[in-house]
Amino acid sequence: MLTTNPFEDDKLREECGIFGVSGADGASALVALGLHALQHRGQEAAGITSWDGSHFHSHRAMGHVAGNFDREEVMGALRGDVACGHVRYSTTGETALRNVQPLYADLATGGFAVAHNGNISNAMFLREDLVARGAIFQSTSDTEVILHLVATSSYRDPLDKFIDALRRVEGAYSLIVMTPQAMIACRDPLGIRPLVMGRLDGAYIFASETVALDVVGAEYVRSIDPGELVIVEDGKLRSLRPFGNNAPRPCIFEWVYFSRPDSIAGDQSVYSVRKAIGAQLAIESPVEADLVIPVPDSGVPAAIGYAQQSGIPFELGIIRSHYVGRTFIQPGDQIRRLGVKLKHNANRALIEGKSIILVDDSIVRGTTSLKIVEMMREAGAREVHMRIASPPTTNSCFYGVDTPEREKLLASRFSVEGMTDFIHADSLAFVSIDGLYKALGEAGRNDMSPRYCDACFTGDYPTRLTDHDAIDQLALHEAAE
């Protein structure tokens, strides 16, 4: 099987999206709608858990929200006015039903369901310790570590148990938790992964992005603060900040690629930020050309910004079909090459004989950029210049983003000149890290106190990486032997 979308195979993948509702009749139906809006954050699997005041109900399935949560028999069984859901793209744990969230367990204090966006960077260390003490894991997901930490905490109160568990984990997390007493929404102390809160009549809504609030008709209230726990119990909301105050480091890639352009992130329009990145890119890396062409769909806002700043016309030189399934059987190389064009095709009449600027959000392995440049040249482009609306991706992410190993990242292997040769472009340029910060309204990146997690560009990881460091040490030891 091969994806028919050549321009999405080589992207960084967000791990998942989460959505929760407390205090609304038919809460699971609202969750299903919210997950539809978050489907771009994870396409491998989806799940919903509800609470009807006496019992928890769950349905988890591989595949998209549509087809799994649009059946009456499924939704009718998810009773209650409290529910949470999850869409998954795995970064930790195999692609299997046992890893599909929300994860649920019957603890001594009652049922406990959790939906997690992010990655626990010391999960391996914690898991080994828990297994040594007798814990029996049912999944390979890092999220299950939280369940066991809560279950084995020496505190008696369920909320205290949860806070105690969070004190032991490292990395990035946004969580929606359901117990018989309350719904809890929280972010890690640095706010690396996003989570927002809304209101719908008398209900509280929590979601990875504001666009999911829009879809269900909820009013956006605010972002959950880094390190904050918001508890909804008996229809009343309260907030705790048990981890003190830390300088936030939200993932900068939310503005570059992950979030939908119609979302608000950090009180800024994602669409407007992406246009500003494109404008900054035009200032930093101008080139004479006839047309500015976006790589659909993620390159569109930045390409508009580049075109407006440079004065070069914006045109749709690559046409995308929205009516092709994700995968199909491809029996040979020739058919495989033709299959690529089912979803994206060059607008030959527009491109032929022109010098063009292709604008994309990022380069990861470089295989996608190579395909795009080849497609443009086959369509008769005279020159093909690539402009990238993020700095070179030189480092892997350990905070919930599916990133290739560092040695597979094109920017970690080659200089910009070497990357240009690899993708067969006439020129290639990236927005600078300072330029990216400027597009977000900052003066530039302050190396002493950056406002975002930009480790994929800089290697500056804001937390400890216990598991990764242990693996590196083991590899060095084995190499020495």
Side-chain angles (χ1 to χ4, degrees):
M1 306 292 280
L2 179 74
T3 179
T4 60
N5 187 346
F7 305 148
E8 292 180 1
D9 292 348
D10 193 25
K11 298 291 186 184
L12 298 182
R13 301 287 190 173
E14 238 291 352
E15 178 200 6
C16 59
I18 58 177
F19 191 92
V21 176
S22 180
D25 291 337
S28 59
L30 292 174
V31 171
L33 289 172
L35 293 182
H36 272 288
L38 299 173
Q39 187 74 85
H40 61 288
R41 298 183 77 90
Q43 296 89 48
E44 287 186 351
I48 296 177
T49 298
S50 68
W51 166 251
D52 66 6
S54 58
H55 295 91
F56 284 93
H57 309 277
S58 290
H59 184 77
R60 301 180 299 159
M62 305 304 297
H64 288 190
V65 179
N68 285 311
F69 292 96
D70 51 7
R71 304 198 307 272
E72 186 175 347
E73 65 272 19
V74 170
M75 299 307 298
L78 295 169
R79 299 181 297 275
D81 65 356
V82 181
C84 71
H86 186 275
V87 289
R88 182 173 193 259
Y89 185 91
S90 60
T91 62
T92 300
E94 63 185 331
T95 302
L97 188 60
R98 64 176 177 162
N99 287 331
V100 180
Q101 299 184 36
L103 296 184
Y104 175 83
D106 286 307
L107 307 183
T109 53
F112 188 96
V114 58
H116 171 210
N117 172 25
N119 193 58
I120 298 170
S121 57
N122 64 336
M124 182 180 71
F125 173 83
L126 292 171
R127 185 185 182 108
E128 290 175 352
D129 177 64
L130 287 161
V131 169
R133 293 193 284 125
I136 300 173
F137 280 75
Q138 301 297 314
S139 77
T140 57
S141 169
D142 61 332
T143 308
E144 192 178 355
V145 167
I146 297 171
L147 289 173
H148 288 278
L149 290 175
V150 172
T152 57
S153 171
S154 59
Y155 286 86
R156 299 183 65 181
D157 180 79
L159 181 58
D160 291 336
K161 283 178 171 287
F162 181 53
I163 293 171
D164 183 44
L166 295 183
R167 292 190 188 280
R168 297 192 59 190
V169 304
E170 300 170 3
Y173 56 82
S174 285
L175 303 171
I176 297 176
V177 167
M178 291 168 53
T179 72
Q181 296 79 29
M183 172 173 280
I184 306 168
C186 67
R187 292 175 77 189
D188 64 80
L190 297 180
I192 298 173
R193 300 262 69 86
L195 192 62
V196 299
M197 178 172 64
R199 289 280 273 166
L200 179 63
D201 300 325
Y204 289 96
I205 314 287
F206 302 98
S208 293
E209 293 184 36
T210 62
V211 67
L213 302 179
D214 298 338
V215 166
V216 301
E219 176 190 3
Y220 169 57
V221 176
R222 64 177 178 88
S223 292
I224 305 302
D225 290 336
E228 181 185 18
L229 277 71
V230 175
I231 303 104
V232 182
E233 188 172 5
D234 296 326
K236 297 180 181 178
L237 183 143
R238 59 191 174 106
S239 172
L240 297 177
R241 289 174 170 79
F243 308 113
N245 295 318
N246 298 281
R249 295 285 296 275
C251 172
I252 203 165
F253 226 91
E254 290 289 344
W255 287 269
V256 172
Y257 175 69
F258 294 143
S259 293
R260 271 181 40 169
D262 45 344
S263 281
I264 303 295
D267 295 326
Q268 295 193 77
S269 160
V270 173
Y271 178 80
S272 295
V273 169
R274 289 178 187 168
K275 281 182 61 180
I277 296 172
Q280 183 66 31
L281 184 56
I283 293 170
E284 294 181 355
S285 301
V287 61
E288 290 187 8
D290 301 309
L291 301 173
V292 175
I293 294 173
V295 177
D297 286 326
S298 57
V300 171
I304 293 173
Y306 192 103
Q308 289 177 348
Q309 178 65 40
S310 66
I312 300 171
F314 170 95
E315 295 286 358
L316 296 180
I318 302 170
I319 305 302
R320 175 177 178 176
S321 169
H322 293 269
Y323 304 101
V324 179
R326 269 184 79 78
T327 58
F328 67 98
I329 301 296
Q330 307 216 34
D333 288 342
Q334 179 63 23
I335 298 299
R336 184 176 293 111
R337 285 177 60 85
L338 294 175
V340 163
K341 296 184 178 181
L342 283 178
K343 197 147 192 176
H344 291 84
N345 192 41
N347 190 350
R348 179 179 294 271
L350 183 73
I351 292 168
E352 193 166 13
K354 301 289 187 9
S355 174
I356 64 171
I357 302 169
L358 290 170
V359 179
D360 203 357
D361 60 90
S362 60
I363 291 182
V364 182
R365 294 180 180 88
T367 53
T368 291
S369 300
L370 176 59
K371 290 177 184 177
I372 298 168
V373 172
E374 287 179 346
M375 181 183 287
M376 296 297 98
R377 293 204 188 280
E378 288 173 0
R382 187 177 77 254
E383 293 179 346
V384 181
H385 305 275
M386 283 211 74
R387 294 296 180 264
I388 306 300
S390 62
T393 304
T394 54
N395 296 273
S396 299
C397 176
F398 302 98
Y399 299 126
V401 178
D402 182 39
T403 316
E405 296 85 355
R406 189 171 188 272
E407 57 270 18
K408 294 182 180 179
L409 295 168
L410 193 69
S412 72
R413 297 164 50 205
F414 296 108
S415 65
V416 173
E417 291 75 15
M419 296 172 73
T420 307
D421 292 339
F422 181 90
I423 67 172
H424 300 162
D426 290 284
S427 73
L428 169 67
F430 298 79
V431 74
S432 67
I433 188 68
D434 276 347
L436 181 57
Y437 272 72
K438 287 176 182 177
L440 281 156
E442 305 288 332
R445 186 186 194 272
N446 184 335
D447 291 338
M448 299 301 295
S449 57
R451 291 281 304 276
Y452 300 91
C453 177
D454 53 20
C456 54
F457 307 132
T458 65
D460 178 11
Y461 296 97
T463 75
R464 289 183 296 179
L465 302 174
T466 298
D467 291 349
H468 176 261
D469 293 343
I471 292 170
D472 274 359
Q473 288 298 317
L474 178 62
L476 288 172
H477 178 73
E478 291 176 345
E481 290 183 341

